[in-house]
Structures are given as C-alpha cells and as structure tokens.
Amino acid sequence: MATIELSINGQQKEIDVDPNTPLLWVLRDHLDLVGTKYGCGIAQCGACTVHVDGVAMRSCSMPVQGLAGKKITTIEGLSDNGDHPVQQAWIAHDVPQCGYCQAGQIMSAAALLKKNANPSDQDIDTAMNGNICRCGTYTRIKAAIKTAAKNS
Amino acid sequence: MNKSLNRRSFIKSSALVGGGMMVNFSFFTSCNSQNDDSHVKWNTLNGYLKIASNGQVTIMSPNPEGGQNVKTSMPMIVAEELDVDWKDVIVEQAPLDTELYQRQFIGGSNAIRYGWDGLRRAGAVARHLLREAAALTWDVPIEEIKTEKGKLYHNKSSKSIGYGDLASKAAELTMPSDIEFKSSEQYHIIGTSRKNVDSKKIVTGQALYGIDIYEQGMLTAMIIHPPAFGLKLKSFDAGAALKLPGITDVFSIKVLNDDFLRLHFDTCSFLEVVAVIGESTWQVMNAKKEVEVEWTPFDTYSEERQFWGRDPQTLNIPAGLESSTDHFVDMRAASKQMNKEVRKDGIPNTAFAKAKKIIERTYTGPHLAHNCMEPMNFFADVKEHKAVLNGPLQKAEFTQKAIANRLGIPLEKVEINMTRLGGGYGRRSYSHWAVEAAVISQKVNAPIKLVYTREDDMTGGIYRPAYMATYKAAINDEDDLHAIHINAGGTNESPLYANRFPAGAIDNYLAESWTIDSNISIGSFRAPRSNFIACAEQCFLDEIAEELGKDPIDFRLALLDRAARNPIGEKNDYNPNRLAGVLKLVRNKSNWNQPRSAIYRGVAAYYCHNSYSAQVVEVSIEDGHPVIENVYCAVDCGILINPDAAKNLAEGAIIDGIGNALFGQLSFVEGIPQQQNFHQYRMIRMKDAPKNIEVFFVENNIDPTGLGEPTFPPAFGALANALYQATGKRLYDQPFSMNGYI
C-alpha cells in the first residue's frame, strides 16, 4: 500500500492503495466516480477511457503509481453541466442505446477533437477504433463527432 | 375508434395524497398472439400514471431498459392519449413486483406490441375523467370539453383549466364504460421523434448500471469456474490467496442444489464454482489468480427443465471435452441420420426424382457469445429472512423464483430492484450469476457485489448454438422452383422455422429438424434461431434466383405472390403481402433497378417477432478489400411510435448483424473457449461498420409490433449476397472473415 496523490477533475485526491492498482478501480472503488466503466481490463474495448493530460487513455490498464502530477479527467469532469460540444452532439443525435460504452466513446471523441478540430472520416475511424459499441451505434457516433466538430 | 371497457378490472383511478390523481392500469393487454405467448394471461393492474396538482405527469415504466428505448417510447403512448405536453412527463423505473405487474421482461420484441392497448387505454381513460370533471365544474356537456397539452378548454365560455387543478376531482368519478381512442391523424406525440429520457444522464456518466452499485459495507466477490466445459470442481487450495491484502474469504458454492427445479431460464453451465471475496475489485481480481484449483471431468448427467409454456423436458448433458471441429462433423452426421419431419407439403420425393436440376448447399454458423459491454454482475444482501438483490436483468420474475428456490426462502422475501442493463441481447434472460451472488452473500452474511471479469463472462456459457442447415432445391423442366427440402439442426437446438417463408410458396416442401447433445450451454441470442436460418434461407434463394436467371427481388416477389394468392398449407406464420411490401420499399429506396458501376449489391428479407424487414447492402472494393458503403433497410412494424429511436435500433441491429456475420465466433478446443477477451473475440468496430445506413418504415395503421430483433437476421444474408456480387465467392460458413471473405 502507498499513499498517492492524484489530480482528478481539477481536485486533488489522496488515496491509500496498492500502487499497481489500475486507475479504473481507484476511480470506481475508492473515489465513487463510476461513470468510467469496466469492459475488458486489457485496453481492448475503450469503456474505461479517461483523459490524462488531455490524451485519451485506457484507465483499466494504467497503474495509479505513474499518475502523480498528471491531470486526469473523467466523464464526470468533462464539463460542468453536461454541455461539452461532444455531449451536446450525442444528445442531438440521440446516440445511446444501452449506453454503457458511451462515456468511453465520448472521452475518446473529445480527445480527438481537442487535437484535431476538423477530423476526416478516416481520422475518426482511427481515433475511435479502440472503442467497442456492442449495440452498434457507430454511424451515429461518427455523425455526432462531426456535429461536435462544427460546434466546437 | 371505440374500445369497450368491459374488462373494467383493468383500470381504476384514485386520489393522490396531497392532491392529484393516480390511474392504475394494465400495461399489457394487447395479448392477441396466436402463436407464441398465448399461455400468458394479463389480468391485473400492472402500471400507473399520476397527475400531480401542478400538472406534472409521472408514468411508471415497469420494464427494464437495456437499450431498446422502451423507457421513452412506452410512456409516449400514454402521453398521446392523455393529451399532455411531452415535456411535462417524467418516467420512473418500477422495481420488480409480481403482485402488481406482469411481464416485466425484455425479450421477444414484445414490449410495445403488448403494451399498445393498455397504455393507450390508461391515457384515454384519464383524459376522459378529466374532461368529465371539467364538464361538471363548468356545468356544460362533456362533448364540449376539448383538451390540448395538459389543459381543458370550453370554447363557448372561453374557460380553461390545467389537468392538475382538476385531477383530484377527476379521481373521484366513476370509470367510463367505454372509451374512444384517438385516430392516427390526431397524433402529435406518437410518430414524432422524442429523445431518450435518460440521454443526459448517460452522456454525463450519471446513468447507473448494476456494476455501479456500491453499498455501505459491501464486499466484492468473483467466481472461478471450470476452464473447460465438461469439467467440474475437484478441490482447491486458497492458502496463498487468503494471505493477500483485502481478501476475506475463499470457498466453493453449489450454484444450484441437486434437487433444484429448473425453470426456463435456469440454465447454469457450472454447478459448483469457487468464490473469492475481498474488499476491492482489484484485490479480488488478483487473488483469483492465486487460488490453486483442481478440476476433473464430469460424468454424463441429465437435467429436468420446466420450459416456459411447454411440457417439462429432460436435457442430456454429455460427458466429454468437446471441440468445435467435432461439432460440425457430428452435425453433418446427424443431419443424415436423425431427421424429424416437421412439415411436408406435396410430394417432395417425386419432385426431386423428376427434377431437371438439383441444387444443394450447406450453411453453418458457430457458437456466439453475447458479449454485453457490462459484464455479468449482481448485488446481493441476504439476511436470514430477507434477500435484497439489485442489478441488470431481462427476466427478473424468473430470477426471483430461482433465488427463492435456491435459498429456500419464500418468494415474497426476495426483493429485486432492476437497474439499467449494459446490454442484454438474451444473455440477461438467464441469471445464474444472480443466484451465485445470493448464495455468496448468504454464506458471508454481508452485502456483496459479484462481478464477472470479461474472461469469466465470455467463457461462462449460455451461447448462441452452433447450427447447420442444408437446403436443397428441385428445378423442373419448366425452369421453376418445384421443391425445397430444408434439413436443419444444431447443438441442443434446431434453428428451423418450418412454417416460415418460403413455406407456403412451394408446391413440394419438406422441412426436417434434428439436434445433437452438447455440454456447452446455449441460450437465447437476439432473434433466436432466426439469427442463423435467415441467412441460410436468403443466401440459398439468391443462388436459386441466379440459377434461374431472375432478379433476386423479382424472384422473391413472385414466390410471395404465390403464397398470397394461393398458399400451400395452412400453418404459414407470415403475411406474404407485408413481406413483399418491405421488399418493394427497399427496392424503391435503394434504386435497385438502377445499378451503379463498382457497387455490388445483395438483398435479404425476413419475418420474425411479428415484424418484417428487407435490406439491401452495397459493397465496393477498395485496395482489394470489400467496403460496406450503404445499407438500405425497410421495416414494417405497424404504427411507428418514436421514429428516430426506431431507426437507431434498426441501425444498431444491422451493424450487430454485419459484425456477427463477419467476425462472430466462439470456438472450442477440448472444451476450452478459444476466445476469452476482446483481443481474441473480434467485435465489429467503427471502421468495419457501413458508412451509411438508411432506414425506411412502411406506413400503415396496423397495431405496432416488435423492433429489437426483426432487423437483425436479414443483415447477415444481405451482406453475404452483396459480398458474392463483389468477390464471386458464395459464403456458406460464418464467420465470413474466417471462411472466404478477405
């Protein structure tokens, strides 16, 4: 066990855990931030996507010990009122079905638009390739990303 | 349209404490099915709507929400007949309550179909009572009272009042003896697109699933099940695991007792598992790896099963470590030896004997895992005389029985609260993991949440069976399709629907069925059986059309015309005109009669779950690889409730169908699943999905039918037929990516 300081959604958090614990389980089990989801545990499905210093990362495969001093953003911290352009576009396109993967999809999309304001179809395919949607909402996700790009 | 309310027990009103009105009603009264769930009787009040004194309308949603959007579309139906503004409606999720509600299910694409009548009735009765209250208040005839968006109007005297102001008074009135529903021209909510009521919660991470339950004092539990089907627990040593920090307990549990009476959804692959309990998920996940477990082969045994609406059956669970390659060898042998004739029209033997040409093709499909994005999980807090269980379920009523049965406590002591589901697709109709959670909680005498890892989930059983179907066609001297012979079966289940198209359109028809025993457990998977047989059938018809030099749509339409005008047999389960209708619509919308260069097209049409869908898939070749450019989809599901949500569901089913057709496969070697997580089990991703999907609905005034499943099966066949046009290779074996598709 070790005491680790994390910056999550603009707040400093101090937790006492095994330093090998993946960020995902620290968020969910210790910090009551359950919007970030468990899907596979091996960085293959993207349900656990968060931002680390603005870059989309899979929190299920990222031990917390390396994260001190980095800025972590989860779906709960993406915007103050759920009004990030990506979130708004998701509602406008009525994207979700079961909804379980969507927090991860939104975090991947938001990170993409941050570095590429006007992505091509291929840019979107590449950036979103790590996120599985079992309900098959891909065409809507892509359309929503394009809308968000226009409105950002 | 007048609807008699002679079954008055289906609805009643009462005053709300603090003002307002509550109408209790029966959600599911449209049960007029002849062929599937007719043994189920709906006869109690199983829903409610409330009108508060401030005019706010609350509609309770009894069914779990797993992505099919019923939590939005079912209340829309009530709001329409009640004539309120949709923005004044809030929806509440009901807990499982078998006293109050029935059919709190996800399954069979039936929610809207069965809900249609009861939901409209509830809204219409409440509106009638409010109008009557206004008529009494203003001393005018009820016929002069109009409503609009939650307000009552008397135009002659220019009076108006909100529903909320008269709700208490309306609640005291006698129920009307008959009621008038709106005609479809009067609709302003039904048939208009309304956003998912939970979308804000979903996009902000606030929507809660079963796996998100964290209760005070709760421990985390995981299970270790046998690594191969055919094995059972022999012994385990938890010494090393128990030394790890946070680990509180390791023990084995019997999931079902030896004398457990299995109902329909009590499939359980592994009867004894090791449970690992600890303080946090990561600790338990790691401790699992440190438990040394010894497994041993089990002997052949049998299970008694009370299937829903059917006679009890005995299932044979054979000993042995099975491999997929052997399944297909065994199925091929079975198809030649164990045929059970299910339907015969005409004299097929003679037709085949006299045929000018016989075409025979065999199609196969592998086991499929559901792979819900939210792995199986459940919260349980079992005390001596009360069990509280919370989590995602498709058929909570059955789960409640299973848990009461297993724990040996009365049904009414088992409380189940349903969370949102992170996917179901049939997997969450079964609930052995909820039973496991209850048994573990009982044993540790504490609240626990059982969580499956992805690997536990994917290797845990209850799969779409492996199937095989051989289609044989006789072409006569006039170059007509004169006979069809279908021979179909699978591991523990046959995919055959003997009374479905092309039955009814063929003079000489023989359908045979068989199964082989397997210890690899199976279960419902989106559009069960149809999800395989539709592809076989539609690919075969495509090949026959080509053989006869006919356009594939014209060929199907000619058969359907025959089935409509002069059907063979009396048990045909589809409406040939509606199936032809979706084919004509998709032909029109896809510009089928105007081929484009370098675009290769395939078509399929299918009927299941009371709805009809035809699809055209368009493929191009880029750098030698097929790319899915467009999918055009026509659907006839009767009256459309929420068009954009309906399109979303169809788009998703098409992508799901294409993904499973291309990549879906759970294969076995010596009983061990060869795909255990998403690095091995390929799921469709954005880059593989069609670039564009367009969904069109047949407009009619037929009562609405299902949508979650019917657009799934045709995608497989339309894709296969398009890929054939693109590559010249017929695809007979799924997944196509492993069997000929580049």
Side-chain angles (χ1 to χ4, degrees):
Chain A
M1 302 291 262
T3 302
I4 292 170
E5 273 192 41
L6 295 172
S7 161
I8 296 177
N9 299 332
Q11 293 183 341
Q12 288 300 119
K13 303 277 182 184
E14 202 176 88
I15 42 150
D16 191 27
V17 290
D18 169 359
N20 289 316
T21 309
L23 174 61
L24 171 67
W25 296 113
V26 172
L27 294 172
R28 293 181 56 81
D29 284 3
H30 301 277
L31 296 174
D32 198 23
L33 291 168
V34 297
T36 306
K37 302 300 189 204
Y38 166 67
C40 70
I42 57 167
Q44 290 288 312
C45 79
C48 66
T49 306
V50 298
H51 295 173
V52 178
D53 289 340
V55 178
M57 305 290 271
R58 314 296 178 212
S59 65
C60 74
S61 303
M62 186 177 294
V64 282
Q65 64 186 345
L67 295 171
K70 296 186 189 295
K71 278 178 64 182
I72 296 160
T73 307
T74 70
I75 187 70
E76 291 91 345
L78 184 64
S79 63
D80 288 337
N81 303 304
D83 54 1
H84 186 283
V86 171
Q87 289 169 315
Q88 288 179 331
W90 244 247
I91 292 173
H93 287 267
D94 216 15
V95 171
Q97 288 187 29
C98 90
Y100 190 79
C101 74
Q102 298 295 350
Q105 304 275 3
I106 287 168
M107 296 308 281
S108 288
L112 163 69
L113 294 181
K114 203 168 182 182
K115 65 175 184 188
N116 181 351
N118 187 22
S120 66
D121 278 30
Q122 201 175 351
D123 294 336
I124 296 173
D125 282 350
T126 304
M128 302 305 289
N129 194 47
N131 290 78
I132 295 171
C133 173
R134 174 67 182 80
C135 299
T137 63
Y138 295 122
T139 48
R140 282 179 187 244
I141 290 173
K142 191 179 271 187
I145 292 172
K146 290 178 181 177
T147 297
K150 266 187 222 147
N151 296 338
S152 291
Chain B
M1 192 196 316
N2 271 302
K3 277 277 178 179
S4 166
L5 286 182
N6 54 359
R7 290 186 293 178
R8 301 233 341 237
S9 62
F10 280 144
I11 198 152
K12 72 176 183 191
S13 67
S14 54
L16 276 174
V17 178
M21 162 192 213
M22 178 152 172
V23 176
N24 287 81
F25 63 99
S26 178
F27 240 82
F28 297 106
T29 52
S30 306
C31 183
N32 49 14
S33 164
Q34 296 300 308
N35 54 10
D36 53 1
D37 291 344
S38 52
H39 54 282
V40 181
K41 300 265 185 280
W42 326 122
N43 53 15
T44 59
L45 305 177
N46 59 12
Y48 68 68
L49 71 90
K50 288 187 285 194
I51 302 170
S53 50
N54 66 0
Q56 185 161 66
V57 178
T58 303
I59 299 172
M60 192 273 317
S61 180
N63 280 36
E65 174 63 64
Q68 72 283 48
N69 208 26
V70 289
K71 199 173 167 186
T72 305
S73 47
M74 294 179 89
M76 282 174 67
I77 299 170
V78 180
E80 178 68 70
E81 288 291 345
L82 184 58
D83 209 14
V84 291
D85 202 332
W86 179 242
K87 70 173 170 51
D88 293 331
V89 174
I90 55 173
V91 182
E92 280 177 6
Q93 178 69 56
L96 175 71
D97 189 335
T98 50
E99 293 274 304
L100 256 186
Y101 321 121
Q102 286 177 312
R103 212 184 181 285
Q104 288 183 279
F105 292 173
I106 298 178
S109 298
N110 277 327
I112 294 288
R113 175 173 167 239
Y114 287 152
W116 176 240
D117 208 44
L119 295 169
R120 285 188 303 162
R121 196 182 295 244
V125 164
R127 176 172 167 269
H128 179 94
L129 294 172
L130 288 160
R131 286 173 66 221
E132 200 179 329
L136 288 170
T137 303
W138 293 330
D139 197 18
V140 296
I142 187 171
E143 292 74 24
E144 293 179 7
I145 305 292
K146 306 292 175 205
T147 60
E148 192 183 342
K149 291 192 174 176
K151 284 184 95 169
L152 296 139
Y153 294 90
H154 184 248
N155 289 338
K156 281 186 192 166
S157 60
S158 301
K159 284 178 178 155
S160 69
I161 191 166
Y163 280 6
D165 297 316
L166 283 182
S168 299
K169 187 168 185 172
E172 307 296 332
L173 300 174
T174 311
M175 300 297 287
S177 57
D178 59 33
I179 197 78
E180 199 170 315
F181 288 158
K182 286 182 177 178
S183 65
S184 56
E185 304 85 64
Q186 295 171 294
Y187 289 161
H188 60 92
I189 296 176
I190 290 174
T192 65
S193 295
R194 305 289 165 158
K195 303 284 186 218
N196 184 330
V197 293
D198 284 336
S199 57
K200 181 82 183 251
K201 281 186 186 167
I202 293 169
V203 304
T204 54
Q206 305 302 317
L208 297 182
Y209 300 80
I211 204 166
D212 300 328
I213 293 170
Y214 286 83
E215 294 279 332
Q216 196 71 34
M218 181 190 92
L219 294 167
T220 296
M222 292 194 173
I223 55 112
I224 306 170
H225 64 62
F229 291 81
L231 295 182
K232 64 177 182 179
L233 180 67
K234 186 179 179 192
S235 64
F236 67 95
D237 178 353
L242 283 166
K243 289 192 187 111
L244 293 171
I247 300 306
T248 57
D249 225 336
V250 179
F251 49 80
S252 66
I253 58 166
K254 274 200 164 184
V255 184
L256 303 181
N257 316 340
D258 293 337
D259 59 351
F260 186 92
L261 176 67
R262 286 173 171 81
L263 302 179
H264 192 115
F265 297 104
D266 290 332
T267 304
C268 178
S269 313
F270 304 114
L271 298 172
E272 191 173 12
V273 297
V274 177
V276 183
I277 324 295
E279 288 165 6
S280 74
T281 315
W282 182 244
Q283 289 171 329
V284 178
M285 233 177 222
N286 284 316
K288 262 185 81 176
K289 297 173 193 160
E290 302 302 322
V291 182
E292 288 177 35
V293 192
E294 233 186 302
W295 311 98
T296 188
F298 61 65
D299 298 328
T300 297
Y301 65 99
S302 63
E303 279 181 8
E304 292 292 325
R305 188 82 72 84
Q306 300 273 340
F307 281 96
W308 192 20
R310 289 184 238 161
D311 294 332
Q313 285 182 15
T314 304
L315 298 185
N316 182 45
I317 316 292
L321 300 173
E322 301 174 14
S323 297
S324 295
T325 48
D326 295 337
H327 286 150
F328 288 105
V329 171
D330 293 348
M331 286 198 282
R332 225 167 264 277
S335 72
K336 292 183 169 56
Q337 293 160 11
M338 310 185 347
N339 306 320
K340 179 179 150 205
E341 184 179 301
V342 185
R343 173 166 166 165
K344 186 162 118 177
D345 300 319
I347 313 170
N349 274 353
T350 309
F352 278 101
K354 290 183 175 171
K356 182 173 94 177
K357 182 163 188 179
I358 292 173
I359 300 169
E360 180 179 327
R361 301 288 183 262
T362 294
Y363 303 84
T364 66
H367 283 95
L368 297 175
H370 297 79
N371 295 339
C372 304
M373 289 310 293
E374 180 193 14
M376 299 305 113
N377 66 82
F378 228 80
F379 171 84
D381 187 5
V382 177
K383 302 276 196 307
E384 198 174 346
H385 297 298
K386 170 98 177 162
V388 176
L389 287 107
N390 304 335
L393 286 174
Q394 286 184 234
K395 299 201 167 58
E397 195 178 324
F398 285 86
T399 306
Q400 186 185 36
K401 285 181 185 157
I403 287 166
N405 189 355
R406 174 61 183 88
L407 298 181
I409 62 176
L411 198 65
E412 59 271 19
K413 300 293 183 191
V414 179
E415 176 186 322
I416 294 188
N417 297 291
M418 298 182 291
T419 60
R420 201 176 172 86
L421 288 77
Y425 325 104
R427 181 69 171 92
R428 287 190 158 100
S429 290
Y430 308 85
S431 55
H432 55 85
W433 61 89
V435 177
E436 289 161 6
V439 173
I440 291 168
S441 172
Q442 188 179 46
K443 190 140 179 171
V444 298
N445 195 25
I448 64 107
K449 180 173 65 182
L450 172 69
V451 179
Y452 275 28
T453 64
R454 173 57 59 193
E455 290 82 0
D456 296 335
D457 184 303
M458 202 178 285
T459 62
I462 312 191
Y463 305 117
R464 201 284 298 264
Y467 291 126
M468 178 177 285
T470 299
Y471 277 72
K472 200 159 73 163
I475 311 293
N476 65 13
D477 290 337
E478 287 77 43
D479 275 343
D480 283 329
L481 172 56
H482 195 47
I484 277 197
H485 175 191
I486 308 169
N487 172 295
T491 55
N492 296 337
E493 178 187 89
S494 168
L496 181 70
Y497 280 103
N499 297 319
R500 210 157 268 184
F501 184 75
I506 311 285
D507 288 309
N508 302 290
Y509 175 87
L510 175 63
E512 295 171 324
S513 193
W514 47 268
T515 60
I516 62 167
D517 288 342
S518 166
N519 60 32
I520 295 166
S521 56
I522 60 151
S524 301
F525 187 108
R526 193 176 204 169
R529 298 147 69 197
S530 298
N531 61 38
F532 169 75
I533 202 79
C535 183
E537 166 199 306
Q538 291 295 308
C539 289
F540 189 66
L541 291 178
D542 212 64
E543 211 165 332
I544 303 298
E546 186 185 35
E547 175 70 27
L548 299 177
K550 292 180 179 168
D551 172 81
I553 293 182
D554 290 344
F555 176 66
R556 286 168 173 82
L557 288 175
L559 290 174
L560 287 164
D561 184 51
R562 166 71 202 274
R565 280 187 299 105
N566 183 20
I568 310 291
E570 285 163 6
K571 288 185 174 172
N572 304 323
D573 72 355
Y574 62 99
N575 179 327
N577 291 323
R578 292 181 79 184
L579 192 51
V582 289
L583 266 167
K584 288 173 185 167
L585 182 61
V586 84
R587 177 171 67 181
N588 177 22
K589 295 294 184 185
S590 67
N591 285 317
W592 180 263
N593 292 330
Q594 291 160 297
R596 289 179 288 149
S597 67
I599 293 287
Y600 306 94
R601 302 173 309 168
V603 67
Y606 196 69
Y607 160 80
C608 71
H609 296 89
N610 305 290
S611 294
Y612 300 78
S613 179
Q615 293 166 17
V616 168
V617 169
E618 293 189 344
V619 168
S620 69
I621 300 287
E622 275 177 26
D623 304 325
H625 295 279
V627 173
I628 304 167
E629 298 283 346
N630 296 296
V631 179
Y632 302 91
C633 172
V635 185
D636 181 353
C637 59
I639 293 167
L640 201 55
I641 310 301
N642 191 0
D644 191 53
K647 282 185 182 179
N648 192 356
L649 204 49
E651 290 161 11
I654 289 164
I655 290 173
D656 188 12
I658 289 172
N660 277 296
L662 288 176
F663 311 122
Q665 170 170 254
L666 193 74
S667 57
F668 298 87
V669 174
E670 298 282 310
I672 300 171
Q674 299 300 292
Q675 295 77 27
Q676 308 214 343
N677 203 328
F678 294 130
H679 63 305
Q680 293 158 330
Y681 198 114
R682 185 165 171 191
M683 305 289 285
I684 189 166
R685 292 173 188 265
M686 185 183 279
K687 67 180 169 52
D688 313 307
K691 289 183 182 170
N692 176 47
I693 302 175
E694 293 181 31
V695 184
F696 305 93
F697 294 91
V698 173
E699 287 181 27
N700 58 35
N701 272 322
I702 300 170
D703 285 355
T705 48
L707 204 54
E709 291 164 293
T711 57
F712 179 61
F716 294 66
L719 173 70
N721 292 333
L723 289 172
Y724 166 68
Q725 295 297 330
T727 65
K729 272 188 214 164
R730 288 281 176 192
L731 299 163
Y732 301 104
D733 302 301
Q734 296 170 26
F736 302 147
S737 65
M738 313 276 280
N739 294 288
Y741 158 83
I742 313 152

